[in-house]
Amino acid sequence: MHPLSLSTKNLTRKGFRSAALVFALALVVCLLFAGAIAVKSVSTSITLGAQRLGADLMIVPEGYEDTARTTLIAGKPSVFYMPESVLDRVRKVKGVRRATPQLFIQSTDFECCTYVDVLLIAFDQQTDFTIGSWLKEAIDRPLADNETIIGRSIPVSTGTTMKYFGTPLTVVGDLATTGLEYIDHAAFMTMATARQMIRNSRVDAEQTLDIGEDMISTVLVQLDPAITPERAKVFVEYEIEGVKALTSQDVIGSVKRQLQVLIRTIGGIGLSLWLITILLIGIVFSMAVNERKREIGLLRAMGAKRKNIFGMITIEAVLLSLAGGVLGLVAGGFLLIVCREPMRNAFKLPSLWPEPMFIFLAALFAVGAALVSGVVAAAWPAYKSSRMEPYQAIRKGE
Amino acid sequence: MIKITSLTKIYRVGKEMFKAVDNVSLNIGAGEIVSIVGHSGSGKTTLLSLMGGLTAPDSGSVVVDGVNLWSIDDDQLAELRNSKMNFIYQFASLLPTLTALENVLLPTMFSRRKKDKKDAARLLDVVGLADKASAYPAELSGGQQRRVAIARAFINDPGIILADEPTGDLDEDTEAEIIGLFRHMNREQGITFVIVTHNTALAAATTRTYRMTGGRIVVA
Ligand SMILES: Nc1ncnc2c1ncn2[C@@H]1O[C@H](COP(=O)(O)OP(=O)(O)OP(=O)(O)O)[C@@H](O)[C@H]1O
Ligand SMILES: [Mg+2]
C-alpha cells in the first residue's frame, strides 16, 4: 500500500467536500486563464491597430471619426470621402512633415465569384510612408497600374486577374494574415488605378461608383518630432474646416479604457475569489484535520513521522489543486471559445488568439496559482497536525 | 526491556494540577507478560502511553532496549514505535477508509520491513477474520474491529505489545482465544506484553500483575 492512497482515500471519503473545493479552485483558474488570454488578445489587437495606422495623425471627414476608429481597430471595412484639396492644406499646417492620401472603395461585386466585401485601398506610392513597407514583403518593386496586392482572406491566387467596376486588377502578391478584417479583405492598388476605376464604373460596369474625381478618404500625417500629436490635431482641425484628426491615442484610447475596466474587473473578481478560495481551503482543511485527529494520532503511534503526516495532508491539497487547475483550464478554454463572438462585438475587436507560447504560459501560471493556493492554505493545518503529540491527538479525537 | 524510573505525568486542567501518573518506577523484562489493573481513571492508559513514547513525561525516564525515549529526536522515536512496539487501543482504532486487510498492513507503510498482503491475511486468519479481509470497519462488529486491531499490532513483528483492555468488548470464547494467541506469540516469538485489563482471567494468565491507584503502582 502506497502512502499516496491514504490521501486519495481521504479525498474520496468526503467526495462532496472535495468536489466543492475542486470547483472553487476551477473557478479561479478558469477566470485567471480566460482573463489573461482575453486581455492579451485585446491588447494585441490594439497595438496592431495602432501599428496599422503607422502615422501620427489620421485625417478623416468630420462625422466619421468613430467609423475610422472602428475600421482601424475592429477592422470592419467602411468608406468615407473628402475633397483631395484637404491634402495640400494639411501639408501647409505647422508641424506636418509628411502627408499621404488614401482612397477606400467598397466593392460588392466580384465578377467571377460570390465573394463580396473586398475593400479596395488606393495609396500614393510617391508619398506613402505607412503601408509601403509591408507591401514590400509581398513584392519587391513598386506596384504598377492595374496590379494589386491582396489580403490573406481573399481566396484568389497570384497571377489571377480580377475585375472590379470594369477595371482589371492582376494579383501580384498577397499579405500574411493580420487578423484585421479590413486588411485581410483588402486589395491594394495605385491611386491612378483607383481613378481609372471610378471612371470605368460610369461606362463599363453594373454599378456606378458615386465618387468624385478629386475625392480621397483620408490623409495620413507624419509630424515633426518637435510637435505633439495633440497640438498638431488642434492646428489641423482649426485650419481646415470639415475634417477631424485622429491621433493614435484617440484610436487606442477608448479601447484602452475598456481594456482597463476589463483588467480591473477580471483582476478584482479573480483576486477576491482567489483569497476566498485560499481561506475556504484553509478552513476546510483545518476542519478535516480536526476530524481526523485520532487517525493522525494513530498513524503517528504506528510510526508515521511528522513529515509523513505533513506530506499526506499536503498531497491532498496538491491533488485537489491539480484537479481544480485542469478543470479550470478546460472550462476557461471552453469559455473563451464560446465568448469569442460576444467579446468581439463588445470591444469591436478582431479575434486574435495570442501566440501558443503565451497560452501555454497563462495555463501554466493559472495552474501554478491553484497549486500555490492549495498548498499555502493546507500548509498550516498540515504543520499543526504533524506537531500534535500522538496521545493528545488520539484522546482529543474521541 | 522496558525500564521506567520515577515517571510522573501531570495534567493541568485550569489551575488544578493533576498527577495522572505519580512517581512510577518499574522494570519489565524481555518475554514477560505483565498486566496492569486498577480503577477507571487511575492512570493506566496514561502509563501505557508513556511507555510507548506517545506522550512526554513531566519527569522521570522510559528506557526501551537501552534507548531513552526522550533523548532521541522525533523521527527516531517514530521509527522505534514502528519497529519495536505496537499498541492495541481501548477504543476503535481502525481507519474507516481502509479495508480490514489494509488496516492490518498500515504500519508497514512507515517501515522498511517487507510485509505483504499474505502476511496480513495470515494474521487476519489467526484472529478468526479470514473472510472479512475486504470488509470496511463500518461493516464489522465492535469485537471484529478489535480483532483486526490485534492482528495489526503483530504485523511489524514488534518486540513489545502495549494492549489497553484488548478484550474489552469480546465475548468469553473470543476472549479466551485472544488470551491464547497472546500466550502463543509470547512463547513462540518472545514478544513482551504489557496488558491493561479489568479481566481477572487475563490478569491471572500473566507473569506479573501491577495495580494502579491514583497514579501510583502497587504490586498486586
Ligand atoms: N489529556 C488529559 N487532560 C487532562 N486530564 C487527563 C488527560 N488524559 C487523562 N487525564 C486524566 O488522567 C486520569 C487518568 O486517565 P487514564 O486515561 O490514564 O485512566 P485509565 O486508568 O486508563 O482509566 P480507564 O480505566 O477508564 O481507561 C483521569 O482522571 C483522566 O481524567
Ligand atoms: Mg484507559
Side-chain angles (χ1 to χ4, degrees):
Chain A
M1 212 176 13
H2 196 269
L4 194 65
S5 67
L6 276 184
S7 299
T8 55
K9 279 178 171 147
N10 275 324
L11 290 177
T12 44
R13 166 164 52 157
K14 300 283 181 187
F16 179 77
R17 189 154 73 183
S18 304
L21 288 184
V22 166
F23 277 119
L25 278 162
L27 198 65
V28 172
V29 169
C30 171
L31 207 77
L32 283 174
F33 177 63
I37 302 283
V39 166
K40 177 68 179 176
S41 159
V42 170
S43 65
T44 310
S45 309
I46 292 177
T47 6
L48 256 180
Q51 242 172 310
R52 291 291 174 241
L53 179 58
D56 297 322
L57 290 181
M58 180 187 192
I59 294 163
V60 298
E62 189 165 6
Y64 285 95
E65 305 93 282
D66 288 336
T67 318
R69 211 176 276 144
T70 315
T71 301
L72 278 174
I73 294 186
K76 297 267 182 250
S78 54
V79 293
F80 35 81
Y81 301 102
M82 59 189 183
E84 195 173 15
S85 59
V86 169
L87 177 61
D88 281 333
R89 297 178 68 185
V90 167
R91 286 195 172 122
K92 289 191 191 103
V93 173
K94 192 178 154 205
V96 171
R97 194 155 74 164
R98 291 203 273 184
T100 187
Q102 285 185 4
L103 174 64
F104 304 154
I105 297 173
Q106 179 69 62
S107 111
T108 43
D109 76 5
F110 181 22
E111 224 160 90
C112 68
C113 320
T114 52
Y115 194 78
V116 288
D117 253 13
V118 170
L119 181 67
L120 298 154
I121 300 179
F123 68 107
D124 176 29
Q125 289 196 91
Q126 264 80 58
T127 55
D128 173 73
F129 57 89
T130 58
I131 47 180
S133 58
W134 37 280
L135 287 187
K136 218 176 259 164
E137 288 165 19
I139 55 161
D140 205 11
R141 59 174 173 82
L143 211 54
D145 290 347
N146 293 91
E147 283 183 345
T148 184
I149 292 172
I150 55 172
R152 184 42 61 88
S153 298
I154 301 177
V156 173
S157 51
T158 306
T160 314
T161 299
M162 310 186 289
K163 210 168 175 189
Y164 287 104
F165 304 103
T167 310
L169 287 176
T170 304
V171 177
V172 294
D174 58 1
L175 298 170
T177 307
T178 63
L180 287 163
E181 219 173 298
Y182 85 106
I183 303 271
D184 288 345
H185 287 180
F188 292 92
M189 59 186 172
T190 63
M191 202 56 98
T193 309
R195 299 284 180 234
Q196 189 59 48
M197 186 178 284
I198 295 168
R199 261 173 264 131
N200 288 348
S201 79
R202 300 207 179 106
V203 274
D204 195 18
E206 288 161 27
Q207 210 183 332
T208 307
L209 283 169
D210 192 17
I211 307 169
E213 274 288 333
D214 54 352
M215 293 303 238
I216 52 174
S217 294
T218 182
V219 175
L220 297 168
V221 175
Q222 191 178 50
L223 296 170
D224 281 332
I227 190 165
T228 65
E230 288 306 315
R231 271 187 78 203
K233 171 189 165 87
V234 174
F235 292 153
V236 167
E237 288 177 358
Y238 176 74
E239 282 175 33
I240 310 168
E241 68 284 353
V243 301
K244 287 284 174 191
L246 299 177
T247 65
S248 42
Q249 273 313 308
D250 280 337
V251 174
I252 302 174
S254 65
V255 186
K256 237 188 186 159
R257 273 189 296 281
Q258 279 175 292
L259 186 67
Q260 241 128 40
V261 172
L262 185 74
I263 291 175
R264 236 172 275 148
T265 314
I266 293 178
I269 297 175
L271 197 71
S272 18
L273 264 182
W274 194 356
L275 290 177
I276 291 172
T277 305
I278 292 182
L279 205 70
L280 188 75
I281 299 172
I283 292 171
V284 169
F285 266 77
S286 294
M287 274 167 44
V289 158
N290 230 4
E291 281 168 22
R292 277 157 53 196
K293 255 188 189 163
R294 163 173 294 178
E295 253 176 74
I296 290 166
L298 288 170
L299 290 173
R300 294 273 285 134
M302 275 172 220
K305 294 175 182 154
R306 283 176 179 157
K307 59 173 183 256
N308 296 136
I309 302 298
F310 186 84
M312 177 179 85
I313 293 162
T314 312
I315 283 171
E316 283 175 33
V318 167
L319 290 175
L320 277 183
S321 307
L322 283 181
V326 171
L327 191 70
L329 283 189
V330 171
F334 186 73
L335 198 71
L336 281 173
I337 291 166
V338 167
C339 292
R340 216 165 155 211
E341 271 310 307
M343 272 258 310
R344 189 167 159 169
N345 293 333
F347 290 96
K348 302 221 168 24
L349 285 172
S351 47
L352 290 172
W353 289 104
E355 62 259 51
M357 194 58 189
F358 181 86
I359 297 180
F360 175 74
L361 287 178
L364 209 66
F365 174 78
V367 174
L371 209 60
V372 167
S373 27
V375 171
V376 162
W380 180 242
Y383 176 79
K384 267 189 63 173
S385 54
S386 74
R387 309 293 295 189
M388 289 187 296
E389 195 176 57
Y391 176 64
Q392 295 305 338
I394 292 169
R395 272 189 63 100
K396 292 242 174 70
E398 271 169 27
Chain B
M1 186 110 218
I2 306 176
K3 187 174 161 62
I4 291 171
T5 321
S6 317
L7 203 58
T8 300
K9 178 78 186 176
I10 300 170
Y11 290 118
R12 288 164 190 84
V13 183
K15 279 190 190 122
E16 298 272 310
M17 304 256 280
F18 178 80
K19 282 190 178 171
V21 171
D22 186 3
N23 199 25
V24 169
S25 296
L26 48 91
N27 262 316
I28 297 166
E32 272 196 272
I33 303 188
V34 171
S35 59
I36 300 173
V37 297
H39 292 298
S40 179
S42 58
K44 306 182 296 292
T45 300
T46 306
L47 180 61
L48 216 57
S49 304
L50 286 165
M51 284 186 200
L54 297 185
T55 187
D58 289 277
S59 65
S61 66
V62 180
V63 177
V64 175
D65 270 352
V67 179
N68 184 339
L69 295 190
W70 301 102
S71 67
I72 53 180
D73 71 25
D74 194 81
D75 278 5
Q76 290 170 317
L77 184 57
E79 265 168 40
L80 190 136
R81 278 197 295 256
N82 182 258
S83 59
K84 286 243 167 76
M85 40 201 174
N86 229 319
F87 291 84
I88 299 167
Y89 300 89
Q90 211 172 347
F91 48 80
S93 62
L94 303 182
L95 263 61
T97 51
L98 305 181
T99 63
L101 191 83
E102 289 167 338
N103 263 291
V104 173
L105 274 171
L106 203 50
T108 65
M109 197 184 273
F110 309 108
S111 78
R112 265 169 250 132
R113 234 169 294 182
K114 289 272 166 283
K115 287 280 177 173
D116 57 21
K117 287 191 171 149
K118 253 185 253 142
D119 301 294
R122 191 181 48 77
L123 282 168
L124 277 179
D125 193 15
V126 167
V127 295
L129 290 173
D131 54 336
K132 296 287 185 189
S134 52
Y136 284 91
E139 299 156 1
L140 297 172
S141 73
Q144 287 171 332
Q145 290 182 39
R146 172 62 50 90
R147 282 186 277 158
V148 175
I150 290 168
R152 181 177 64 191
F154 291 106
I155 189 79
N156 265 358
D157 301 324
I160 304 163
I161 294 239
L162 303 169
D164 199 353
E165 296 181 40
T167 59
D169 40 19
L170 300 182
D171 61 87
E172 273 174 35
D173 289 346
T174 320
E175 187 180 358
E177 260 178 51
I178 294 301
I179 295 171
L181 173 67
F182 284 3
R183 297 186 70 163
H184 171 81
M185 292 305 235
N186 173 257
R187 229 180 303 120
E188 297 297 310
Q189 299 184 17
I191 298 177
T192 307
F193 284 84
V194 181
I195 305 169
V196 169
T197 183
H198 287 128
N199 184 296
T200 40
L202 183 52
T206 61
T207 50
R208 226 176 338 153
T209 301
Y210 293 101
R211 177 168 297 280
M212 277 196 92
T213 37
R216 289 173 176 276
I217 281 281
V218 274
V219 181

